[in-house]
Amino acid sequence: MPRQDTTVIHAGEGASDRARPLTAPIYQTSTFVFDSTADLEEYVAGGSGRYLYSRYANPSVESAEAKLAALEGAEAAMVTASGMAATATALFGLLAAGDELVASAAIYGGSIHLMTGFLRKFGVTVRLVPMGGDLLAHIGPATKVVWFESPTNPTLRCLDIRHLAAGCRERGITSVCDNTFASPINQQPLALGVDLVMHSATKYLNGHSDVVAGALAGPAALIDRLQPARRFLGGVLDPSAAYALARGMKTIAVRVARQNESAQRLAEWLAADPRVRTVAYPGLPSHPDHAIARRQMSGFGGMVTCAVHGGLAAARDVFDRVRLIQRAVSLGGVETICSLPVLTSHYGVSAADLAAAGVTDDMIRISVGLEDPADLMADLDQALGRGPAGAAS
Ligand SMILES: *Cc1c(COP(=O)(O)O)cnc(C)c1O
């Protein structure tokens, strides 16, 4: 009977000396082998650059991190198991009991849950500032972190990033920008003065709706400071997912350029349609933050939100009639998808809070993919139907 000795079954042993793959290999391993005690001693002393354990570091994960750092113009980056893992790593890494966090209320719902449901339990004061309020005006002596997103979901309002970053820097407060909606192709918050960028890499960075991942990017000293939080909270990215993320990032520039172009065309087409009540897209001159968007973005993104005449009933009809466009949450992939904010991201939010956020029940949010824009318009045209009674005649 053959011996089941795993130590001798290394079919590709030595291949790393002879084979130079064009693509970064997937290091699908939890642990790494040491040759000797001396080898291990060198590692623990910090000088060898070797790997120990994949919760600490893994070459496939580092390959994705190097790509993201390059895209954001950052010294360093860290990828995580989800966007929420990145947010948790950043917030638990930066804040302690007694500290205060000032955050825009117009941020991802999960981020708000983490802040109000968890950080508060550990003695952090959380101040949420409604859309339109100046975050800087809410900073107090104990404020350590200011957290915001731009463009926001689903109204795509833009905050003046340079203004916020400068105000935080002046006061020695760490500013963090969730750059998920813009992607680094359209907006580079670090260049605008922000300290730390956060991503749901699930969205545009991966771009294919097949991976859940997150990321942080910023100065090496800040990313290093957050390493223990990722390591001990445990939100590391699996090597296979890191590979898929890195592969997605190879095409982000062409994907996002096309999505910008298609979204602009779709937004202009919708804005000219009498069946549509309003269109929110930062690339439209009618958008309330068009001027800010032009200053800080190099492209206006692939997200378009429109509202139809006839309230939720009319929005539901359009939502139920789309054929090419799929009904799904999330964003940033190659397939165009749409969602109803009041039934997804803003489900259960009070009427007063919806009004403060500018969210209405007749809104449909569209994440524009890579299909021919003519096909998307044809689909929306049939889905809009004859419009509500009255608008039709
Ligand atoms: C999706 C999303 C998140 C959360 O990311 P996950 O990858 O789902 O954990 C955070 N911020 C924004 C803006 C998002 O769209």
Side-chain angles (χ1 to χ4, degrees):
M1 226 173 70
R3 268 177 70 218
Q4 296 276 308
D5 184 348
T6 57
T7 62
V8 299
I9 312 174
H10 270 158
E13 195 145 27
S16 59
D17 300 331
R18 290 174 285 121
R20 290 180 56 221
L22 175 64
T23 59
I26 308 177
Y27 285 82
Q28 193 68 45
T29 185
S30 59
T31 192
F32 298 86
V33 176
F34 287 91
D35 292 335
S36 63
T37 313
D39 213 14
L40 182 56
E41 280 172 339
E42 202 186 333
Y43 172 85
V44 293
S48 72
R50 299 276 294 256
Y51 297 87
L52 175 75
Y53 183 54
S54 284
R55 182 159 46 74
Y56 286 43
N58 174 289
S60 302
V61 170
E62 288 181 348
S63 158
E65 290 170 343
K67 277 196 168 55
L68 177 64
L71 284 168
E72 283 289 2
E75 252 175 35
M78 165 193 287
V79 298
T80 56
S82 65
M84 285 309 304
T87 301
T89 298
L91 292 175
F92 282 93
L94 292 170
L95 292 162
D99 290 346
E100 190 171 278
L101 165 68
V102 171
S104 163
I107 56 173
Y108 182 68
S111 309
I112 293 188
H113 284 298
L114 181 70
M115 291 168 183
T116 58
F118 289 85
L119 283 180
R120 275 184 183 157
K121 282 206 307 192
F122 297 96
V124 174
T125 302
V126 178
R127 272 184 215 286
L128 294 176
V129 182
M131 188 70 226
D134 186 356
L135 295 173
L136 299 179
H138 292 77
I139 287 173
T143 306
K144 292 289 185 323
V145 174
V146 169
W147 186 287
F148 59 91
E149 274 173 43
S150 183
T152 65
N153 177 47
T155 55
L156 306 168
R157 296 295 305 267
C158 300
L159 279 69
D160 187 338
I161 297 177
R162 214 186 286 273
H163 163 75
L164 291 173
C168 288
R169 184 144 302 186
E170 225 165 69
R171 297 164 175 83
I173 292 165
T174 304
S175 57
V176 189
C177 177
D178 181 338
N179 202 29
T180 301
F181 268 52
S183 93
I185 301 303
N186 288 331
Q187 179 170 280
Q188 294 189 303
L190 299 173
L192 298 168
V194 163
D195 294 310
L196 185 66
V197 167
M198 176 262 156
H199 275 282
S200 168
T202 312
K203 318 294 169 54
Y204 287 102
L205 292 178
N206 167 264
H208 293 75
S209 307
D210 56 5
V211 161
V212 172
L216 298 168
L222 185 51
I223 297 297
D224 281 350
R225 199 180 135 201
L226 297 174
Q227 290 292 353
R230 177 177 63 169
R231 189 176 287 183
F232 303 123
L233 288 171
V236 290
L237 190 60
D238 180 80
S240 291
Y243 170 82
L245 170 58
R247 184 171 62 180
M249 282 191 279
K250 291 180 189 187
T251 56
I252 190 172
V254 285
R255 280 187 285 111
V256 169
R258 169 66 181 261
Q259 285 163 325
N260 288 342
E261 204 179 299
S262 297
Q264 181 79 38
R265 280 185 59 187
L266 209 61
E268 286 172 6
W269 177 80
L270 286 165
D273 195 306
R275 296 169 295 181
V276 173
R277 187 174 66 76
T278 59
V279 179
Y281 185 68
L284 293 180
S286 61
H287 188 273
D289 305 318
H290 181 60
I292 296 177
R294 284 180 64 132
R295 277 206 303 277
Q296 65 191 22
M297 301 180 82
S298 50
F300 300 116
M303 300 300 294
V304 178
T305 299
C306 66
V308 292
H309 295 286
L312 179 59
R316 288 178 63 128
D317 284 346
V318 175
F319 190 67
D320 285 335
R321 281 195 293 246
V322 288
R323 293 187 196 131
L324 172 62
I325 301 171
Q326 300 293 308
R327 289 167 286 272
V329 297
S330 194
L331 62 129
V334 298
E335 290 97 0
T336 299
I337 56 177
C338 68
S339 64
L340 297 173
V342 288
L343 292 182
T344 52
S345 59
H346 289 70
Y347 183 70
V349 174
S350 73
D353 286 350
L354 284 179
V359 178
T360 52
D361 62 3
D362 54 3
M363 277 180 171
I364 301 160
R365 190 192 79 172
I366 303 167
S367 168
V368 179
L370 297 185
E371 301 89 343
D372 187 329
D375 292 340
L376 296 174
M377 289 179 219
D379 192 28
L380 284 167
D381 184 45
Q382 66 79 24
L384 285 162
R386 285 189 295 161
S393 48

